mmCIF file of all heavy atoms in Angstrom:
data_model
loop_
_atom_site.group_PDB
_atom_site.id
_atom_site.type_symbol
_atom_site.label_atom_id
_atom_site.label_comp_id
_atom_site.label_asym_id
_atom_site.label_seq_id
_atom_site.Cartn_x
_atom_site.Cartn_y
_atom_site.Cartn_z
ATOM 1 N N GLY A 202 85.115 111.885 111.387
ATOM 2 C CA GLY A 202 86.434 112.447 111.626
ATOM 3 C C GLY A 202 86.639 113.714 110.822
ATOM 4 O O GLY A 202 85.773 114.143 110.056
ATOM 5 N N GLU A 203 87.819 114.280 110.986
ATOM 6 C CA GLU A 203 88.104 115.548 110.304
ATOM 7 C C GLU A 203 88.073 115.404 108.790
ATOM 8 O O GLU A 203 87.756 116.350 108.075
ATOM 9 C CB GLU A 203 89.467 116.083 110.753
ATOM 10 C CG GLU A 203 89.500 116.555 112.200
ATOM 11 C CD GLU A 203 90.836 117.171 112.567
ATOM 12 O OE1 GLU A 203 91.699 117.304 111.664
ATOM 13 O OE2 GLU A 203 91.020 117.510 113.741
ATOM 14 N N GLY A 204 88.390 114.213 108.295
ATOM 15 C CA GLY A 204 88.415 114.010 106.850
ATOM 16 C C GLY A 204 87.133 113.442 106.280
ATOM 17 O O GLY A 204 87.119 112.959 105.143
ATOM 18 N N ALA A 205 86.042 113.508 107.038
ATOM 19 C CA ALA A 205 84.770 112.947 106.566
ATOM 20 C C ALA A 205 84.313 113.649 105.288
ATOM 21 O O ALA A 205 84.457 114.866 105.148
ATOM 22 C CB ALA A 205 83.707 113.083 107.645
ATOM 23 N N THR A 206 83.751 112.867 104.383
ATOM 24 C CA THR A 206 83.275 113.427 103.125
ATOM 25 C C THR A 206 81.928 114.109 103.316
ATOM 26 O O THR A 206 81.208 113.850 104.281
ATOM 27 C CB THR A 206 83.119 112.329 102.058
ATOM 28 O OG1 THR A 206 82.092 111.418 102.480
ATOM 29 C CG2 THR A 206 84.425 111.570 101.858
ATOM 30 N N SER A 207 81.581 114.953 102.371
ATOM 31 C CA SER A 207 80.275 115.615 102.421
ATOM 32 C C SER A 207 79.149 114.595 102.298
ATOM 33 O O SER A 207 78.074 114.773 102.867
ATOM 34 C CB SER A 207 80.165 116.662 101.310
ATOM 35 O OG SER A 207 80.353 116.069 100.034
ATOM 36 N N ARG A 208 79.391 113.502 101.557
ATOM 37 C CA ARG A 208 78.378 112.455 101.425
ATOM 38 C C ARG A 208 78.076 111.834 102.791
ATOM 39 O O ARG A 208 76.916 111.679 103.165
ATOM 40 C CB ARG A 208 78.851 111.367 100.461
ATOM 41 C CG ARG A 208 77.954 110.143 100.448
ATOM 42 C CD ARG A 208 78.175 109.230 99.260
ATOM 43 N NE ARG A 208 79.572 108.954 98.995
ATOM 44 C CZ ARG A 208 80.006 108.323 97.897
ATOM 45 N NH1 ARG A 208 79.145 107.946 96.977
ATOM 46 N NH2 ARG A 208 81.301 108.094 97.713
ATOM 47 N N HIS A 209 79.133 111.487 103.532
ATOM 48 C CA HIS A 209 78.897 110.907 104.850
ATOM 49 C C HIS A 209 78.270 111.924 105.800
ATOM 50 O O HIS A 209 77.347 111.590 106.553
ATOM 51 C CB HIS A 209 80.184 110.390 105.480
ATOM 52 C CG HIS A 209 79.989 109.972 106.907
ATOM 53 N ND1 HIS A 209 79.314 108.818 107.247
ATOM 54 C CD2 HIS A 209 80.303 110.583 108.082
ATOM 55 C CE1 HIS A 209 79.255 108.728 108.564
ATOM 56 N NE2 HIS A 209 79.838 109.781 109.091
ATOM 57 N N GLN A 210 78.747 113.152 105.761
ATOM 58 C CA GLN A 210 78.228 114.177 106.661
ATOM 59 C C GLN A 210 76.745 114.402 106.423
ATOM 60 O O GLN A 210 75.973 114.599 107.368
ATOM 61 C CB GLN A 210 78.991 115.489 106.483
ATOM 62 C CG GLN A 210 78.788 116.489 107.612
ATOM 63 C CD GLN A 210 79.365 116.021 108.937
ATOM 64 O OE1 GLN A 210 80.546 115.680 109.018
ATOM 65 N NE2 GLN A 210 78.539 115.990 109.975
ATOM 66 N N SER A 211 76.336 114.352 105.155
ATOM 67 C CA SER A 211 74.921 114.531 104.830
ATOM 68 C C SER A 211 74.080 113.405 105.415
ATOM 69 O O SER A 211 72.990 113.647 105.960
ATOM 70 C CB SER A 211 74.756 114.583 103.307
ATOM 71 O OG SER A 211 73.397 114.672 102.957
ATOM 72 N N ILE A 212 74.579 112.176 105.320
ATOM 73 C CA ILE A 212 73.859 111.039 105.907
ATOM 74 C C ILE A 212 73.812 111.185 107.421
ATOM 75 O O ILE A 212 72.761 111.009 108.055
ATOM 76 C CB ILE A 212 74.550 109.716 105.522
ATOM 77 C CG1 ILE A 212 74.513 109.509 104.012
ATOM 78 C CG2 ILE A 212 73.898 108.537 106.239
ATOM 79 C CD1 ILE A 212 75.406 108.372 103.525
ATOM 80 N N HIS A 213 74.952 111.507 108.011
ATOM 81 C CA HIS A 213 75.055 111.637 109.468
ATOM 82 C C HIS A 213 74.097 112.681 110.014
ATOM 83 O O HIS A 213 73.497 112.498 111.080
ATOM 84 C CB HIS A 213 76.495 111.993 109.844
ATOM 85 C CG HIS A 213 76.730 112.137 111.314
ATOM 86 N ND1 HIS A 213 76.581 113.348 111.977
ATOM 87 C CD2 HIS A 213 77.083 111.243 112.265
ATOM 88 C CE1 HIS A 213 76.850 113.177 113.261
ATOM 89 N NE2 HIS A 213 77.157 111.913 113.466
ATOM 90 N N ASP A 214 73.919 113.781 109.283
ATOM 91 C CA ASP A 214 73.091 114.895 109.756
ATOM 92 C C ASP A 214 71.615 114.728 109.428
ATOM 93 O O ASP A 214 70.797 115.562 109.839
ATOM 94 C CB ASP A 214 73.589 116.211 109.147
ATOM 95 C CG ASP A 214 74.976 116.595 109.650
ATOM 96 O OD1 ASP A 214 75.399 116.054 110.693
ATOM 97 O OD2 ASP A 214 75.644 117.418 108.990
ATOM 98 N N SER A 215 71.247 113.681 108.707
ATOM 99 C CA SER A 215 69.856 113.502 108.304
ATOM 100 C C SER A 215 68.961 113.237 109.509
ATOM 101 O O SER A 215 69.404 112.719 110.542
ATOM 102 C CB SER A 215 69.726 112.337 107.318
ATOM 103 O OG SER A 215 70.003 111.102 107.960
ATOM 104 N N ALA A 216 67.697 113.595 109.382
ATOM 105 C CA ALA A 216 66.742 113.389 110.472
ATOM 106 C C ALA A 216 66.619 111.903 110.816
ATOM 107 O O ALA A 216 66.487 111.533 111.987
ATOM 108 C CB ALA A 216 65.378 113.953 110.075
ATOM 109 N N GLU A 217 66.684 111.048 109.804
ATOM 110 C CA GLU A 217 66.573 109.605 110.038
ATOM 111 C C GLU A 217 67.721 109.100 110.904
ATOM 112 O O GLU A 217 67.514 108.344 111.859
ATOM 113 C CB GLU A 217 66.560 108.863 108.705
ATOM 114 C CG GLU A 217 66.394 107.362 108.852
ATOM 115 C CD GLU A 217 66.365 106.644 107.512
ATOM 116 O OE1 GLU A 217 66.655 107.288 106.485
ATOM 117 O OE2 GLU A 217 66.043 105.455 107.498
ATOM 118 N N GLN A 218 68.950 109.527 110.570
ATOM 119 C CA GLN A 218 70.104 109.082 111.343
ATOM 120 C C GLN A 218 70.110 109.672 112.753
ATOM 121 O O GLN A 218 70.522 109.008 113.710
ATOM 122 C CB GLN A 218 71.391 109.460 110.610
ATOM 123 C CG GLN A 218 71.668 108.627 109.372
ATOM 124 C CD GLN A 218 72.025 107.191 109.708
ATOM 125 O OE1 GLN A 218 72.900 106.930 110.524
ATOM 126 N NE2 GLN A 218 71.350 106.253 109.065
ATOM 127 N N GLN A 219 69.636 110.898 112.890
ATOM 128 C CA GLN A 219 69.545 111.486 114.227
ATOM 129 C C GLN A 219 68.557 110.714 115.095
ATOM 130 O O GLN A 219 68.807 110.462 116.278
ATOM 131 C CB GLN A 219 69.138 112.956 114.131
ATOM 132 C CG GLN A 219 70.221 113.849 113.542
ATOM 133 C CD GLN A 219 69.785 115.298 113.476
ATOM 134 O OE1 GLN A 219 69.213 115.835 114.413
ATOM 135 N NE2 GLN A 219 70.045 115.946 112.344
ATOM 136 N N GLY A 220 67.425 110.299 114.512
ATOM 137 C CA GLY A 220 66.458 109.493 115.244
ATOM 138 C C GLY A 220 67.027 108.134 115.606
ATOM 139 O O GLY A 220 66.790 107.617 116.708
ATOM 140 N N TYR A 221 67.791 107.569 114.694
ATOM 141 C CA TYR A 221 68.453 106.284 114.918
ATOM 142 C C TYR A 221 69.406 106.390 116.104
ATOM 143 O O TYR A 221 69.429 105.515 116.982
ATOM 144 C CB TYR A 221 69.195 105.927 113.640
ATOM 145 C CG TYR A 221 69.933 104.609 113.613
ATOM 146 C CD1 TYR A 221 69.254 103.407 113.528
ATOM 147 C CD2 TYR A 221 71.332 104.576 113.624
ATOM 148 C CE1 TYR A 221 69.936 102.200 113.471
ATOM 149 C CE2 TYR A 221 72.016 103.376 113.567
ATOM 150 C CZ TYR A 221 71.315 102.196 113.488
ATOM 151 O OH TYR A 221 72.004 101.007 113.432
ATOM 152 N N ARG A 222 70.182 107.480 116.161
ATOM 153 C CA ARG A 222 71.134 107.653 117.274
ATOM 154 C C ARG A 222 70.411 107.886 118.594
ATOM 155 O O ARG A 222 70.847 107.396 119.646
ATOM 156 C CB ARG A 222 72.097 108.808 116.974
ATOM 157 C CG ARG A 222 73.104 108.493 115.880
ATOM 158 C CD ARG A 222 74.235 109.508 115.831
ATOM 159 N NE ARG A 222 73.795 110.839 115.494
ATOM 160 C CZ ARG A 222 73.638 111.280 114.237
ATOM 161 N NH1 ARG A 222 73.860 110.484 113.217
ATOM 162 N NH2 ARG A 222 73.255 112.522 114.002
ATOM 163 N N ARG A 223 69.305 108.600 118.582
ATOM 164 C CA ARG A 223 68.536 108.801 119.823
ATOM 165 C C ARG A 223 67.990 107.475 120.346
ATOM 166 O O ARG A 223 68.000 107.225 121.559
ATOM 167 C CB ARG A 223 67.399 109.804 119.589
ATOM 168 C CG ARG A 223 67.860 111.251 119.458
ATOM 169 C CD ARG A 223 66.694 112.221 119.575
ATOM 170 N NE ARG A 223 65.746 112.058 118.475
ATOM 171 C CZ ARG A 223 65.819 112.710 117.323
ATOM 172 N NH1 ARG A 223 66.807 113.577 117.101
ATOM 173 N NH2 ARG A 223 64.904 112.529 116.384
ATOM 174 N N PHE A 224 67.518 106.630 119.435
ATOM 175 C CA PHE A 224 67.031 105.297 119.806
ATOM 176 C C PHE A 224 68.148 104.504 120.479
ATOM 177 O O PHE A 224 67.958 103.893 121.540
ATOM 178 C CB PHE A 224 66.534 104.585 118.548
ATOM 179 C CG PHE A 224 66.072 103.166 118.764
ATOM 180 C CD1 PHE A 224 64.765 102.906 119.140
ATOM 181 C CD2 PHE A 224 66.940 102.098 118.568
ATOM 182 C CE1 PHE A 224 64.321 101.590 119.327
ATOM 183 C CE2 PHE A 224 66.507 100.784 118.756
ATOM 184 C CZ PHE A 224 65.198 100.540 119.132
ATOM 185 N N HIS A 225 69.335 104.531 119.877
ATOM 186 C CA HIS A 225 70.472 103.802 120.433
ATOM 187 C C HIS A 225 70.908 104.387 121.773
ATOM 188 O O HIS A 225 71.304 103.636 122.682
ATOM 189 C CB HIS A 225 71.631 103.808 119.437
ATOM 190 C CG HIS A 225 71.469 102.815 118.332
ATOM 191 N ND1 HIS A 225 72.475 101.978 117.913
ATOM 192 C CD2 HIS A 225 70.399 102.502 117.562
ATOM 193 C CE1 HIS A 225 72.046 101.202 116.939
ATOM 194 N NE2 HIS A 225 70.786 101.516 116.708
ATOM 195 N N ASP A 226 70.873 105.697 121.896
ATOM 196 C CA ASP A 226 71.239 106.338 123.170
ATOM 197 C C ASP A 226 70.296 105.907 124.285
ATOM 198 O O ASP A 226 70.729 105.622 125.416
ATOM 199 C CB ASP A 226 71.223 107.860 123.031
ATOM 200 C CG ASP A 226 72.394 108.396 122.217
ATOM 201 O OD1 ASP A 226 73.374 107.645 122.011
ATOM 202 O OD2 ASP A 226 72.330 109.559 121.776
ATOM 203 N N ARG A 227 68.999 105.874 123.998
ATOM 204 C CA ARG A 227 68.033 105.422 125.007
ATOM 205 C C ARG A 227 68.284 103.959 125.374
ATOM 206 O O ARG A 227 68.220 103.577 126.552
ATOM 207 C CB ARG A 227 66.601 105.597 124.507
ATOM 208 C CG ARG A 227 66.135 107.023 124.372
ATOM 209 C CD ARG A 227 64.620 107.118 124.230
ATOM 210 N NE ARG A 227 64.094 106.367 123.098
ATOM 211 C CZ ARG A 227 63.998 106.839 121.866
ATOM 212 N NH1 ARG A 227 64.399 108.081 121.592
ATOM 213 N NH2 ARG A 227 63.489 106.102 120.885
ATOM 214 N N ALA A 228 68.566 103.150 124.358
ATOM 215 C CA ALA A 228 68.819 101.731 124.608
ATOM 216 C C ALA A 228 70.047 101.553 125.494
ATOM 217 O O ALA A 228 70.041 100.748 126.438
ATOM 218 C CB ALA A 228 69.008 100.997 123.281
ATOM 219 N N LEU A 229 71.103 102.304 125.213
ATOM 220 C CA LEU A 229 72.320 102.244 126.034
ATOM 221 C C LEU A 229 72.029 102.657 127.466
ATOM 222 O O LEU A 229 72.470 101.993 128.421
ATOM 223 C CB LEU A 229 73.393 103.142 125.423
ATOM 224 C CG LEU A 229 74.641 103.401 126.294
ATOM 225 C CD1 LEU A 229 75.356 102.090 126.630
ATOM 226 C CD2 LEU A 229 75.577 104.378 125.600
ATOM 227 N N GLN A 230 71.290 103.730 127.638
ATOM 228 C CA GLN A 230 70.958 104.190 128.991
ATOM 229 C C GLN A 230 70.170 103.134 129.755
ATOM 230 O O GLN A 230 70.417 102.905 130.954
ATOM 231 C CB GLN A 230 70.165 105.487 128.918
ATOM 232 C CG GLN A 230 70.961 106.701 128.453
ATOM 233 C CD GLN A 230 70.095 107.952 128.387
ATOM 234 O OE1 GLN A 230 69.448 108.332 129.358
ATOM 235 N NE2 GLN A 230 70.066 108.578 127.227
ATOM 236 N N CYS A 231 69.236 102.486 129.093
ATOM 237 C CA CYS A 231 68.416 101.474 129.757
ATOM 238 C C CYS A 231 69.249 100.268 130.168
ATOM 239 O O CYS A 231 69.148 99.781 131.308
ATOM 240 C CB CYS A 231 67.280 101.029 128.835
ATOM 241 S SG CYS A 231 65.925 102.226 128.710
ATOM 242 N N VAL A 232 70.060 99.750 129.250
ATOM 243 C CA VAL A 232 70.892 98.589 129.579
ATOM 244 C C VAL A 232 71.863 98.945 130.698
ATOM 245 O O VAL A 232 72.064 98.156 131.636
ATOM 246 C CB VAL A 232 71.645 98.085 128.332
ATOM 247 C CG1 VAL A 232 72.679 97.028 128.725
ATOM 248 C CG2 VAL A 232 70.666 97.511 127.317
#
Side-chain angles (χ1 to χ4, degrees):
E203 291 184 5
T206 65
S207 58
R208 171 164 46 189
H209 172 73
Q210 196 66 54
S211 176
I212 297 169
H213 181 270
D214 293 342
S215 68
E217 182 179 10
Q218 287 291 309
Q219 290 181 44
Y221 182 73
R222 289 194 296 275
R223 286 194 296 270
F224 177 87
H225 281 226
D226 287 344
R227 291 195 302 273
L229 169 60
Q230 290 179 54
C231 284
V232 171

